[in-house]
Amino acid sequence: MKCRRCKAPAVIEIPRHNAAFCRECFLRHCREQVRRAIDEHRMFVPGDRVLVAVSGGKDSLALWHLLTELGIDADGLYLGLGIGEYSDESGRYARDFAARVGAGLHEVDLPTDYGYDVPGAARATRRSPCGACGLSKRHLFNGFALEHGYDVVATGHNLDDEAAVLLGNVLRWETGYLGRQHPVLPATDGFVKKVKPLVRLGEREMAAYCVLNGIDYQIEECPMADGNRHLGLKTTLNALEEQSPGTKAAFLFGFLARGHGRFADASDAERETLAPCSGCGGPTSTGGLCAFCSLRVRVSNPQPVALRTGR
Ligand code: Q46
Ligand code: ZN
């Protein structure tokens, strides 16, 4: 197998591009794909203060590295989820990477700063941990960026993530979510701009990018991932991709080009109903506490479990 670009021995094959690359040409391919996503969707403007949402996994560390390589200065924010040893290790990978590239890393810790952890929130809400986890991340990354004057939050969602989320939203015809599913979400009242520069690169490419650059990352799956429905959707898409390489990219980019605009009204309508949360002042559609403040109330006052006495 030879590199498509320079004919040196290849180290990775990418069936959807019908290509194989040597190390140097593969790293260049990754930079080009990120540069293309940034330019195509106008993700940054000169002078933007950029915050990377860092988990310690391959995607967020590869993203941070790629932005640095492309000359885009970015600080990181690591959010400690309180998931035992998994979170301890993830935090170490984030800190080690920040020290290696000399970048600034902020940290917020759910247990220390907010008095709960993801397993505790899952127990209190009796829902999947990923629900409480996702909502905490969205709220805290957004709030931190606004409070500290960042213009953009960049997340490590890759092509596989975005295609799986799209499939989930299509299967349930979640029109509001479909209207918001885009590599760029512009800033609106109470929301900072959000961008996904890895949208043109797959999960396997991100793992290879880290390995070829000597970036150590959290390899373990999150121990609370069992209830994550996106894993099943990814498995389904992987089977389709195996049969017909390029399916995921065609699905996602076809939607962005030809489907997304049709759902913009649904998400605009949802946004118009937003009002300030009575707890934190952030935007919410509930007319009282936002989902994050409600979660904190529930975690600190768990509902008693009804016991059957048998009488
Ligand atoms: S960290 Fe959180 Fe993921 Fe773990 S609890 Fe679920 S959402 S699986 S990206
Ligand atoms: Zn709130």
Side-chain angles (χ1 to χ4, degrees):
M1 203 169 51
K2 289 194 172 155
C3 173
R4 175 166 84 179
R5 217 189 287 254
C6 73
K7 308 297 177 219
V11 297
I12 183 167
E13 191 179 6
I14 308 179
R16 81 169 180 288
H17 289 302
N18 196 16
F21 292 112
C22 70
R23 179 182 182 277
E24 290 312 315
C25 293
F26 171 69
L27 299 179
R28 182 169 145 178
H29 157 81
C30 292
R31 289 192 297 273
E32 282 173 357
Q33 293 298 315
V34 171
R35 169 56 68 200
R36 192 166 154 192
I38 290 172
D39 291 348
E40 203 168 287
H41 298 290
R42 293 193 280 281
M43 292 187 176
F44 305 112
V45 295
D48 266 351
R49 289 192 68 217
V50 181
L51 184 68
V52 179
V54 180
S55 69
K58 63 185 184 324
D59 300 305
S60 57
L61 295 184
L63 168 62
W64 205 359
H65 192 269
L66 278 157
L67 291 180
T68 311
E69 293 275 292
L70 292 171
I72 298 167
D73 281 340
D75 295 333
L77 171 58
Y78 172 75
L79 177 61
L81 303 170
I83 308 180
E85 178 64 15
Y86 172 78
S87 289
D88 297 342
E89 264 185 23
S90 302
R92 277 199 293 278
Y93 287 116
R95 280 173 222 120
D96 289 352
F97 179 83
R100 172 179 154 179
V101 295
L105 179 70
H106 305 282
E107 294 196 42
V108 171
D109 189 59
L110 279 186
T112 312
D113 301 323
Y114 291 91
Y116 74 93
D117 54 28
V118 165
R123 279 193 302 277
T125 55
R126 284 178 246 153
R127 293 247 182 100
S128 118
C130 297
C133 181
L135 110 74
S136 304
K137 286 183 199 166
R138 284 190 295 278
H139 183 91
L140 293 170
F141 282 120
N142 187 64
F144 188 95
L146 290 175
E147 195 181 322
H148 292 84
Y150 287 95
D151 302 292
V152 192
V153 171
T155 58
H157 295 97
N158 59 39
L159 171 60
D160 294 63
D161 298 322
E162 290 303 283
V165 170
L166 176 60
L167 180 57
N169 288 338
V170 167
L171 289 174
R172 289 180 165 77
W173 291 116
E174 299 275 12
T175 53
Y177 289 146
L178 287 167
R180 284 196 297 279
Q181 178 152 13
H182 199 270
V184 174
L185 283 180
T188 51
D189 263 358
F191 293 106
V192 71
K193 179 175 176 182
K194 298 189 184 75
V195 299
K196 299 169 184 170
L198 299 187
V199 71
R200 302 187 62 84
L201 291 162
E203 210 152 280
R204 227 178 101 251
E205 288 149 270
M206 293 298 73
Y209 183 88
C210 286
V211 170
L212 293 172
N213 274 304
I215 298 169
D216 287 331
Y217 63 91
Q218 173 60 281
I219 294 173
E220 296 301 320
E221 270 282 343
C222 168
M224 314 228 72
D226 274 359
N228 190 323
R229 71 189 177 93
H230 289 136
L231 292 182
L233 296 168
K234 280 186 178 175
T235 307
T236 304
L237 285 168
N238 284 342
L240 296 172
E241 182 78 17
E242 175 108 23
Q243 277 180 9
S244 178
T247 299
K248 283 180 214 174
F251 180 48
L252 180 64
F253 298 124
F255 165 75
L256 293 176
R258 298 190 289 281
H260 174 262
R262 296 169 191 250
F263 298 97
D265 287 352
S267 72
D268 287 350
E270 283 184 7
R271 203 173 300 129
E272 276 165 21
T273 63
L274 297 179
C277 163
S278 53
C280 68
T284 175
S285 57
T286 60
L289 289 178
C290 71
F292 178 74
C293 290
S294 304
L295 174 70
R296 291 189 68 193
V297 170
R298 288 192 69 178
V299 176
S300 51
N301 305 297
Q303 297 298 306
V305 178
L307 294 177
R308 288 171 185 266
T309 61
R311 293 185 191 196

